[in-house]
Amino acid sequence: MGSPELLIVLDRGGGTPLQQQLGDRIAALVRAGRLRPGDALPASRELARQLDVSRTVVTRAYELLRAGGVITARQGSGTRVAPDAGQPARPQHALPAASLAPQPPRPTDGGDALWRPWEPPPAQRAADVIDFRHGTPALAEFPLARWRQSLHTAYGRAGAASLGYGPAEGSPALRTEIATLVRRSRALDAPADRIMVTSGATQAMDILVRMLVGPGDVVVIEDPSHTVLRQVFGCSGAHVVPVPVDEQGLRVDDIDARVRAHGHDPARVRLVYVTPSHQFPTGFILSGPRRRGLLRWAYDRGATVLEDDYHHEFTFTGERLPALAAERHRSTVAYVGSFSKTLFPALRIGYAVLPPHLVQPFLGIKWITDRLTPTVTQDALADFISTGAYARHISRMTRLYRGRRSRLLAALHDHFGAGVRVSGAAAGLHVLVTLTGARGVPEDRIAAAAATHGVRIHPASGYFVQDPPADPAFLMGYAALPAPRITRGVALLAGAVREAASG
């Protein structure tokens, strides 16, 4: 079995020993129902790696929990929550016996000044080009042979019904596995019948916009943000208002003023889009006060927060917060996730975890626009997760990405020294690199010079609606690049920057 992820934060500056804290945290998870009788706990070595503590801390915590009857450990079955641990186990959320009744979709119309045509991907690049493209996982490391086993299992179990039109809400097996994943790793305890499987995260967001936003309404987005999302929101007929982010994430107190500055009434805000775990593209994490402020703001105004929790699986520090959708006023949050970065983009499987009042309207649009859901592939993914292959893959990729991230940061420091500023290194598959020592040199000139040296880098200023960076800045992905190519790529980039500055 793989090593499942747990959302645990230890107080390293407190007086309580770490093993006692860890034991108390796990016992609290059991009492809260986030760990349930029979649930597997991570192996001691893996949990020590996740928490960045010694293995002794974990083994002693497990010994305390076993002595207290909270967990059991048996050869061959690993460490699990004891059958009678904590409160009486809450019944597993059952899927509805019949399909959910769809509601008619809300009409929309298109057109907005922020809409821009999709930029096609570059032509096939030569193998020797070092491309720091962000958002691309280490596809060469994906365990294809193990994935084929899950596909074989799913097709072996498939009957005639599985080969027909699948339920619009997605495979029941996959929805159950997703419910377990978000409960354990994001503290988001939602029944499977509030989870909708989609064709990637973008489809989930598109459906939410169609459902919640109409012409004349206001959508608040982070600034900077991804251009694709600005296109999705801009096509809704709503007014899209960018609100700046800083080191604490979205500046919630600025929302009303920014909306008014664009000539709109804050009462017309229907949707607020945020990436709280790893803001795109800066990598900043939404702070606790901002999280609470945003949820209060949305609750008071009847707005919905769209939480895009991309990259949360790959975290390289001990600072981890639960999903916004797991906190107070959670009924205001629609949570969106995807397997595109954890597994591979061609899988095209994402999901939305919805408040109860949004489930049927969402399903109404999903049923009309995407009635044929490929449930056999979803069942294969459910098998991949349930057998532990997914947890093993995430653990392996986290170690790999941690090493590649460290190599990139070290290489940037070696070649640029105090002339570089990096944000977003705590999580995800990319960092935002600002070349403070190259002030006044245009980004496109640096990118063109780098291209002549066989390096492809991606300017960041296009992600800003207002107030682009004063210094040249670039998104640099590292996940798909082996460490030697990262080292060489940064060295070539440094030469290109000097060349661009002198030209």
Side-chain angles (χ1 to χ4, degrees):
M1 293 293 289
S3 295
E5 184 181 25
L6 293 178
L7 180 61
I8 292 176
V9 178
L10 301 177
D11 181 7
R12 299 172 194 274
T16 305
L18 291 179
Q19 60 262 29
Q20 183 65 51
Q21 290 187 49
L22 178 56
D24 291 345
R25 301 289 193 278
I26 293 176
L29 294 178
V30 173
R31 290 193 299 272
R34 283 173 48 202
L35 283 175
R36 297 173 183 173
D39 278 357
L41 293 175
S44 59
R45 190 184 306 277
E46 178 59 25
L47 186 55
R49 186 201 62 76
Q50 291 178 12
L51 300 178
D52 194 23
V53 298
S54 72
R55 190 182 180 192
T56 302
V57 168
V58 180
T59 57
R60 288 179 177 173
Y62 279 4
E63 289 170 1
L64 291 171
L65 291 168
R66 281 197 298 271
V70 178
I71 64 175
T72 61
R74 294 188 179 89
Q75 187 69 29
S77 61
T79 303
R80 295 182 178 273
V81 178
D84 55 352
Q87 300 288 339
R90 290 181 290 172
Q92 294 287 336
H93 298 293
L95 289 172
S99 295
L100 297 169
Q103 292 181 353
R106 184 175 183 171
T108 62
D109 60 8
D112 188 274
L114 282 179
W115 185 88
R116 292 189 293 182
W118 171 256
E119 178 186 355
Q124 183 67 35
R125 296 179 293 275
D128 58 348
V129 172
I130 301 173
D131 191 349
F132 287 97
R133 177 173 292 275
H134 65 88
T136 303
L139 299 178
E141 303 295 330
F142 182 73
L144 275 172
R146 180 59 190 81
W147 174 247
R148 282 194 291 267
Q149 292 179 26
S150 289
L151 285 172
H152 180 78
T153 298
Y155 277 102
R157 294 172 178 168
S162 302
L163 302 179
Y165 287 87
E169 58 267 34
S171 155
L174 179 57
R175 294 163 71 205
T176 298
E177 293 299 333
I178 291 172
T180 300
L181 280 179
V182 298
R183 171 170 53 85
R184 295 175 64 98
S185 66
R186 308 302 295 132
L188 176 49
D189 193 359
D193 58 9
R194 281 175 42 203
I195 296 173
M196 303 286 110
V197 180
T198 59
S199 296
T202 303
Q203 186 192 43
M205 289 184 269
D206 176 61
I207 292 175
L208 285 166
V209 171
R210 297 187 194 204
M211 181 173 70
L212 297 172
V213 177
D217 290 335
V218 176
V219 175
V220 168
I221 62 171
E222 299 169 320
D223 186 18
S225 61
H226 204 297
T227 53
V228 171
L229 273 301
R230 300 202 321 244
Q231 293 167 12
V232 170
F233 300 145
C235 287
S236 68
H239 305 292
V240 181
V241 175
V243 174
V245 303
D246 59 22
E247 289 79 3
Q248 295 187 58
L250 183 73
R251 288 162 50 176
V252 178
D253 290 343
D254 290 357
I255 293 178
D256 286 355
R258 290 281 176 163
V259 171
R260 291 191 183 100
H262 280 74
H264 310 300
D265 183 354
R268 294 301 302 270
V269 176
R270 296 290 179 263
L271 196 67
V272 180
Y273 171 83
V274 287
T275 49
S277 298
H278 187 248
Q279 199 278 329
F280 184 91
T282 65
F284 297 139
I285 297 172
L286 191 65
S287 68
R290 296 273 179 91
R291 291 160 66 94
R292 293 186 292 273
L294 175 60
L295 293 176
R296 283 196 304 270
W297 187 95
Y299 180 80
D300 290 344
R301 289 158 178 79
T304 298
V305 175
L306 200 171
E307 178 180 10
D308 184 359
D309 204 24
Y310 87 110
H311 285 185
H312 78 81
E313 297 88 352
F314 302 118
T315 301
F316 309 117
T317 68
E319 182 67 22
R320 301 186 66 228
L321 295 171
L324 278 179
E327 298 197 359
R328 190 181 178 206
H329 301 321
R330 66 191 69 182
S331 62
T332 66
V333 182
Y335 177 97
V336 172
S338 169
F339 295 95
S340 294
K341 303 301 187 293
T342 54
L343 299 179
F344 55 94
L347 185 61
R348 301 314 306 140
I349 294 180
Y351 56 92
V353 184
L354 303 172
H357 68 281
L358 296 184
V359 170
Q360 289 186 336
F362 188 100
L363 182 59
I365 298 175
K366 178 69 165 57
W367 189 86
I368 289 173
T369 59
D370 189 19
R371 183 181 178 191
L372 178 57
T373 299
T375 50
V376 181
T377 304
Q378 293 178 24
D379 287 340
L381 178 54
D383 176 83
F384 194 76
I385 297 171
S386 67
T387 57
Y390 180 80
R392 288 193 295 273
H393 178 64
I394 295 298
S395 178
R396 180 169 172 261
M397 289 300 98
T398 300
R399 291 193 297 271
L400 179 70
Y401 295 153
R402 186 190 300 272
R404 292 180 175 181
R405 176 203 67 151
S406 297
R407 179 81 293 272
L408 175 60
L409 297 180
L412 289 169
H413 176 76
D414 290 344
H415 287 281
F416 294 97
V420 67
R421 184 175 66 248
V422 178
S423 70
L429 306 182
H430 74 265
V431 291
L432 179 63
V433 177
T434 303
L435 300 179
T436 57
R439 176 163 293 185
V441 184
E443 288 177 348
D444 56 355
R445 185 190 299 174
I446 294 175
T452 65
H453 291 269
V455 176
R456 184 176 174 86
I457 55 173
H458 305 272
S461 59
Y463 296 104
F464 291 77
V465 179
Q466 300 172 335
D467 302 324
D471 300 317
F474 302 88
L475 261 67
M476 297 187 68
Y478 51 80
L481 290 173
R485 289 177 66 77
I486 291 174
T487 301
R488 176 163 173 76
V490 174
L492 292 171
L493 173 61
V497 172
R498 290 191 296 269
E499 179 181 305
S502 64

